[in-house]
Amino acid sequence: MDRAGTHGIEIAASRQVVVDDCTVTGARDHGIYLGWLGSIACAPQYVRVRGNQVTTTSEGAGVAVIGGDHVSVTGNTVSRSYLAGVYVYSRCGNFPPGRVEVTGNVLTDTNVGRLSHTPGAIAVHSLQRGRTSADILLAGNAIRRTPYAGIWVGGPTPIGTKLADLARLEVRGNTVTEASGSPVDISAEQRAHIDQLVIS
């Protein structure tokens, strides 16, 4: 996919989908986008985004996930993304997140956009509880060159006013080099909204 005028690849209102070994270059919005609105509205479930290459987004993230349950973003390579390399957030309380895993991705030169509002190469915010409670794993990712933190969890941002409300957040085994911010940025206020936090 080359120079898409919107998202490079959009997976909408879906269940049991695999996006594997795709190349997305020069998308205007997010390189790969997983959302809940299509011809119907439903929470994305059992979705695997793996082994893809995303290069140069004009306005969006490399891979963006709006909640979902049993969602895996693994083994992808993202470079020169306007926003975060991987961006996990929520816009609709009707479809709260469940288990989301972001593992083994290589993220280089993220948040290069002048108006980027995601202050982390991996950014998580505004995830709210509902029928499910967010359980997020961020593990084994390699991050190089970002003007912000390696991993940022929190809020608010220009598109979300709430802190993330998480049942569990596990951050382990990530490598961060040449970042202007800290490897992991989670404010004390945000930490109070996480039932179980594991950082190693």
Side-chain angles (χ1 to χ4, degrees), residues 21-64:
D21 197 25
C22 298
T23 299
V24 178
T25 303
R28 189 193 70 187
D29 297 322
H30 302 310
I32 300 173
Y33 172 76
L34 172 61
W36 51 263
L37 185 62
S39 57
I40 61 171
C42 72
Q45 295 178 311
Y46 304 101
V47 178
R48 304 287 178 263
V49 179
R50 66 189 185 200
N52 303 286
Q53 296 186 21
V54 179
T55 305
T56 312
T57 58
S58 299
E59 298 179 14
V63 179

Side-chain angles (χ1 to χ4, degrees), residues 17 22 40 73 78 108 110 118 124 137 140 142 148 156 170 189 200:
V17 175
C22 298
I40 61 171
V73 178
V78 176
T108 306
T110 62
T118 53
V124 178
L137 172 65
Y148 301 112
E170 183 176 358
E189 184 182 11
S200 59

